[in-house]
Every structure is written in structure tokens, then in C-alpha cells.
Amino acid sequence: NAGVMQNPRHLVRRRGQEARLRCSPMKGHSHVYWYRQLPEEGLKFMVYLQKENIIDESGMPKERFSAEFPKEGPSILRIQQVVRGDSAAYFCASSPQPGAGFYNEQFFGPGTRLTVL
Amino acid sequence: DQQVKQNSPSLSVQEGRISILNCDYTNSMFDYFLWYKKYPAEGPTFLISISSIKDKNEDGRFTVFLNKSAKHLSLHIVPSQPGDSAVYFCAAEGMDSNYQLIWGAGTKLIIKP
């Protein structure tokens, strides 16, 4: 019974390159959330997706960032033309129902640590 | 605009004693609160939660207290064990947050042997 899987665990990119982060939710979970954690800060919500739908992307920068959760395959967070300020840990979480109510806590993956040189 | 605040970046407690981690919030629309524990190089792990209709929730060594009038919650760990050394995050969800979890900056708990 695998948990939330994220890959790669570490990603190094040069400025201007593209970063692709993958997240496979827990089996049976159709709700995926992406968070970003900067050093010495808490997690910041980026986007909430269900299969083939973006439900809430209010936390995502308007440019260069995009997310998808296709019918088949993992959720992808894509960062185009990365800059040094994109260096952070990116966490994915999944839940069986929307939100975080009782018996519906969000389960987190181990994160992808993105370093932009 | 920090809606969830954890004012202590770190806390050091003797093994066997009580650890008390604090969290303050500003948004009165928050109605569900969670504590997550995070080890280095791992994702956060759910620990315990509380609904705004309650003022206390207990699970083994972990108890969360909620004071709605003060917009304050705390996590008590007793007795503290070495494996409790981790970063603890307080998070909140509200009727107006559209399923988002709003996170505090975390408190690093160090349990001394």
C-alpha cells in the first residue's frame, strides 16, 4: 500500500531551464494538492487538482508555473524558465475527499528539492 | 499576511517532560486545525486535528487544545520521547479557504536525553 510518491527527490536546473515534478497520489485518492516550502518557512498552497481538472490555482504564480492531473498517470507541476527564487522544496499531498476534514487528512509525499543554479 | 503563526522557531525539552507547542491564528473563519510532524528530507505526517466545535482532542501522548476566543491552539506531548524531535507545523482550514490548508512556519522540537 504505497503512499504518495514524488520524483525526482532532488532536481538541479540552470536558470532558464524547465523543471518537471511528478506526483503519484495514494491509491484511491483523486484529490491532489501542491505546496511549496521556502527555507525557514511553512508550506504555501499552490494548486488543488482533481482528475483532469484544476479546482483552485490561487496560490500558483501567474507565469511560468502550470499543473495538470491527467486521467492516466501522475500529476505534473511544471516550471518553465526557472529562476533562482524557484529553489525550494515542493510537496505533493493527496486525499480521498476534498479538503482536510476528519478521516480525510492530506497525505504528503517526501517532496522534490529543486535547486536552481 | 500570516494568518497562522508559530512564534517559537525552536523548543528544547528534557526527555520525559511535557512539550507544549503553540499556534495563533487571525482568521475567525478557520474551523478545522491540524498538527503535522516533519522529519528532515521527508514530507509532513499528520499527527492530530481538532474541529472548532471542540476545545480538546486527545490521542495517546498527544493532546491539542483550542481556545477560540483567543484564537490560539496548542499541542501537548507528554511524556516527550527522543523520537518526537522534529519540526511541528500547525495548519488551518476554513469555510472561506476553498480546501486550502494555511500553514504556520513550524517549530523545531528538540528532545534532550
Side-chain angles (χ1 to χ4, degrees):
Chain A
N1 186 16
V4 178
M5 311 284 283
Q6 286 188 252
N7 67 81
R9 294 293 305 272
H10 300 274
L11 182 61
V12 179
R13 286 288 178 265
R14 296 191 180 279
R15 281 181 297 170
Q17 292 183 320
E18 178 180 288
R20 277 183 174 242
L21 290 66
R22 293 174 185 77
C23 169
S24 296
M26 283 183 70
K27 188 176 180 181
H29 288 191
S30 59
H31 301 268
V32 166
Y33 315 80
W34 284 94
Y35 294 86
R36 175 165 65 175
Q37 184 185 22
L38 296 170
E40 309 302 324
E41 294 187 16
L43 281 69
K44 294 284 195 295
F45 168 82
M46 297 182 75
V47 61
Y48 161 41
L49 309 103
Q50 294 179 28
K51 284 283 187 183
E52 299 184 277
N53 284 305
I54 296 174
I55 307 301
D56 181 357
E57 56 182 349
S58 60
M60 201 135 79
K62 295 279 186 285
E63 297 176 354
R64 302 187 297 109
F65 285 72
S66 62
E68 62 176 11
F69 189 15
K71 189 176 179 182
E72 301 290 338
S75 175
I76 306 284
L77 179 67
R78 185 179 173 208
I79 312 173
Q80 295 178 293
Q81 299 174 336
V82 295
V83 301
R84 288 220 174 99
D86 297 332
S87 294
Y90 292 82
F91 291 97
C92 165
S94 72
S95 66
Q97 301 292 335
F102 281 108
Y103 309 115
N104 189 44
E105 67 260 19
Q106 295 180 15
F107 292 86
F108 281 79
T112 294
R113 274 139 193 91
L114 172 66
T115 302
V116 179
L117 301 177
Chain B
D1 176 26
Q2 265 191 301
Q3 298 187 66
V4 178
K5 297 179 186 178
Q6 293 178 257
N7 291 319
S8 299
S10 66
L11 176 67
S12 188
V13 174
Q14 203 73 36
E15 182 180 356
R17 297 286 186 96
I18 183 170
S19 295
I20 300 176
L21 296 100
N22 294 304
C23 178
D24 297 291
Y25 62 96
T26 57
N27 190 341
S28 56
M29 297 292 280
F30 288 149
D31 59 0
Y32 190 66
F33 304 88
L34 307 90
W35 284 93
Y36 279 81
K37 177 180 178 180
K38 186 180 180 304
Y39 292 118
E42 293 184 13
T45 303
F46 171 76
L47 196 57
I48 193 170
S49 63
I50 188 166
S51 165
S52 60
I53 61 173
K54 294 191 169 187
D55 54 20
K56 177 182 174 182
N57 188 26
E58 192 172 350
D59 183 3
R61 296 186 299 114
F62 303 91
T63 303
V64 55
F65 295 92
L66 175 62
N67 182 334
K68 282 178 62 179
S69 60
K71 294 193 177 68
H72 176 84
L73 62 155
S74 60
L75 174 68
H76 292 214
I77 307 173
V78 55
S80 300
Q81 298 175 354
D84 296 330
S85 295
V87 177
Y88 288 79
F89 290 97
C90 169
E93 185 189 44
M95 292 173 276
D96 64 343
S97 64
N98 198 25
Y99 306 124
Q100 294 181 28
L101 283 180
I102 310 299
W103 295 70
T107 296
K108 183 175 183 179
L109 177 63
I110 301 163
I111 305 301
K112 298 180 292 186

